[in-house]
Amino acid sequence: MSATADALGVPQSTLSRRLQRLEYDVGTSLFDRAAGGLRINSRGEVLREHLSKANAELVAGVEAVRRISDPDRGTIR
């Protein structure tokens, strides 16, 4: 958890609270907790797959808007 928090640039306590809030919002646990930390469970894997697809669509949308906004290649109206 600490290494992930460091990589994201947030305190470990903040990351922990955000993950707990996510689980609360989803309505179920997404991680199995053990002495060694967290391990994503099957419910978390399902959500991760959907979030990966959603993120890919967001990135594609931003790129599409940038392409049409490019003054050298964009759409002129």
Side-chain angles (χ1 to χ4, degrees), residues 8-19:
L8 294 172
V10 297
Q12 184 272 330
S13 59
T14 300
L15 178 59
S16 181
R17 283 193 306 274
R18 287 180 184 175
L19 292 176

Side-chain angles (χ1 to χ4, degrees):
M1 179 82 91
S2 295
T4 301
D6 288 342
L8 294 172
V10 297
Q12 184 272 330
S13 59
T14 300
L15 178 59
S16 181
R17 283 193 306 274
R18 287 180 184 175
L19 292 176
Q20 288 174 345
R21 177 60 191 219
L22 176 62
E23 288 178 318
Y24 176 82
D25 289 345
V26 173
T28 190
S29 64
L30 302 171
F31 303 91
D32 294 328
R33 285 158 175 81
L38 298 178
R39 170 161 272 144
I40 193 166
N41 62 29
S42 60
R43 295 175 298 275
E45 284 292 341
V46 169
L47 184 60
R48 184 194 59 76
E49 290 173 19
H50 286 275
L51 291 175
S52 292
K53 291 175 188 175
N55 187 60
E57 284 297 315
L58 178 61
V59 169
V62 168
E63 286 302 313
V65 169
R66 286 181 178 157
R67 274 194 308 276
I68 65 171
S69 299
D70 184 340
D72 294 330
R73 292 179 241 150
T75 304
I76 297 174
R77 298 199 185 267

